[in-house]
């Protein structure tokens, strides 16, 4: 079960990893076969479903994002706790954003869903 302390520790580390542009630290939160869903995937990766699966393809996607936004910075606003999931609400390069992370028993994310104020 995810509690508030664990959720906030995850959120802080996740935001710090993105703000340091450390792709290995970012990916350390995820299983090797995790699935990422984002409306940005459609244009960036030419994937109409908006979904990618597996660290290697998502590494390529996030590498493009870090190259496109060299000043990328996330400001954590709030963390919500669910059953086996965490939602981070933050300000980022696309403005107000939220990501929902579903974790396994080893506290590794197997599915993530990005939401933006488009």
């Amino acid at each position: 079960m995810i509690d508030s302390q664990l959720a906030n520790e995850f959120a802080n580390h996740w935001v710090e990893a993105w703000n340091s542009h450390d792709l290995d630290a970012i990916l350390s939160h995820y299983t090797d076969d995790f699935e990422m869903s984002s409306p940005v995937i459609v244009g960036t990766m030419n994937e109409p479903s908006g979904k990618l699966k597996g660290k290697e393809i998502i590494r390529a996607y996030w590498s493009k994002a870090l190259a496109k936004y060299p000043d990328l910075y996330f400001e954590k606003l709030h963390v919500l706790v669910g059953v086996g999931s965490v939602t981070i609400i933050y300000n980022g390069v696309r403005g107000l954003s939220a990501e929902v992370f579903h974790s396994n028993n080893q506290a590794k994310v197997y599915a993530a869903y990005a939401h933006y104020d488009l």
Side-chain angles (χ1 to χ4, degrees):
M1 184 72 177
I2 299 172
D3 62 19
S4 180
Q5 179 180 345
L6 184 61
N8 276 288
E9 287 172 4
F10 168 80
N12 290 338
H13 192 265
W14 184 84
V15 167
E16 288 170 15
W18 275 102
N19 287 345
S20 68
H21 297 208
D22 184 342
L23 196 48
D24 289 329
I26 296 165
L27 288 165
S28 73
H29 298 103
Y30 301 88
T31 62
D32 288 341
D33 63 346
F34 83 100
E35 183 174 277
M36 178 73 204
S37 297
S38 170
V40 180
I41 288 172
V42 175
T44 303
M45 300 299 283
N46 196 29
E47 174 51 56
S49 71
K51 296 179 182 182
L52 298 173
K53 187 169 177 116
K55 272 189 180 177
E56 291 314 307
I57 189 69
I58 297 168
R59 176 186 290 277
Y61 166 57
W62 285 342
S63 291
K64 287 183 179 187
L66 290 171
K68 184 175 182 177
Y69 300 104
D71 295 328
L72 179 138
Y73 181 82
F74 293 165
E75 174 194 13
K76 183 182 81 169
L77 300 176
H78 199 71
V79 178
L80 302 171
V81 180
V83 176
S85 65
V86 172
T87 299
I88 302 173
I89 301 168
Y90 62 97
N91 277 320
V93 296
R94 297 186 170 277
L96 184 62
S97 305
E99 295 206 28
V100 180
F101 306 89
H102 290 269
S103 299
N104 64 18
N105 291 337
Q106 291 77 42
K108 294 288 186 181
V109 175
Y110 63 85
Y113 306 89
H115 301 78
Y116 305 106
D117 187 13
L118 301 173

